[in-house]
Amino acid sequence: MPRTPRPMTPAQKRATTAPASPRRAAIIAIAITVALVAALAAIIVTTLNRPAPLALTAQAPTGELVTAETNRLSDPAEPAVTVVEFVDFECPACGDWHPVVSDLVASYGDRVEFAYRHLPLPVHGNAIAAALALEGAAAQDEATAMYDLLYDTQAEWGGQAADSQAGTFRGYAEQLGLDLDAYDAVVADPATLDRVSTDAADAGALGIRSTPTFVIDGEVVTLSSYDELESRIAAALGE
């Protein structure tokens, strides 16, 4: 005769209805991030490998590069000059320029608008995840803190293409005191991915294929030294 199933104990009922643990939620969030990163990587590879249009010039109106949503390191009420940097947080050269840019922001930030846009290069396996992490922090007004933290720790997580660092970046979000549920939602939102892709597409339209690349008042500049960026800014200010 078949046995009558035993009723579940209260503990068993709680186990079947309990919400996912924070660890499980984090794993799910990271898995989603990895999938989105793979999708965006394919888009960026296509964008950067697309031939430049015949009419391409190295200039663009500043208004097309800086919008209300663009991340900034300084935001003077009436900037005399606008500097836009296309960045890849896993790029060693960008890491080397980071203290230079920080010093320039401290010196000229009251007159010069310093902004940055994403250009995660396909050669850097975790650059897209880092860009998404930045946007996750930006949604909670902590973009600059995450910007600095990603560069300050670049040697710890960079160059590890075989291993996703999404969990590391989520740890940084926790370190910064962010609401992790809100952070996860932004990182996993396809609109965030679109934003990073749009930045990369705008870089491609200007013929920009490497990082860091600086655009001063709409003009893409080629620099031969760290000091030259300051001299270009001073010249744009008429000094």
Side-chain angles (χ1 to χ4, degrees), residues 8-223:
M8 289 191 296
T9 67
Q12 289 173 323
K13 289 181 179 178
R14 288 195 297 271
T16 60
T17 59
S21 67
R23 177 179 175 79
R24 179 175 175 78
I27 292 173
I28 292 173
I30 291 169
I32 292 173
T33 301
V34 171
L36 291 175
V37 164
L40 182 55
I43 294 172
I44 290 177
V45 168
T46 301
T47 298
L48 292 181
N49 290 335
R50 183 181 300 143
L54 294 178
L56 180 69
T57 66
Q59 293 203 7
T62 302
E64 294 182 7
L65 290 180
V66 180
T67 69
E69 295 184 348
T70 303
N71 294 308
R72 294 168 171 79
L73 296 173
S74 68
D75 191 16
E78 296 182 0
V81 174
T82 294
V83 178
V84 180
E85 179 187 7
F86 281 90
V87 303
D88 173 332
F89 290 106
E90 194 173 1
C91 167
C94 290
D96 291 341
W97 273 92
H98 174 230
V100 177
V101 172
S102 295
D103 286 346
L104 292 175
V105 171
S107 298
Y108 295 96
D110 59 334
R111 293 179 291 161
V112 176
E113 178 181 51
F114 287 89
Y116 58 95
R117 297 187 65 182
H118 301 292
L119 181 54
L121 301 176
V123 69
H124 298 137
N126 282 289
I128 295 173
L132 296 178
L134 186 285
E135 293 302 327
Q140 299 184 49
D141 298 323
E142 290 291 350
T144 300
M146 181 65 83
Y147 172 97
D148 289 334
L149 187 53
L150 287 170
Y151 279 134
D152 291 343
T153 61
Q154 187 190 73
E156 300 171 16
W157 59 266
Q160 301 185 47
D163 300 310
S164 170
Q165 297 299 305
T168 298
F169 303 146
R170 192 175 190 272
Y172 294 161
E174 183 175 17
Q175 181 179 328
L176 293 175
L178 302 185
D179 179 325
L180 292 182
D181 288 339
Y183 169 87
D184 291 340
V186 172
V187 169
D189 188 344
T192 308
L193 206 64
D194 288 343
R195 178 172 179 177
V196 176
S197 181
T198 296
D199 281 5
D202 285 352
L206 285 170
I208 297 172
R209 299 290 188 273
S210 62
T211 56
T213 294
F214 296 89
V215 184
I216 300 178
D217 282 345
E219 179 183 0
V220 180
V221 298
T222 300
L223 303 173

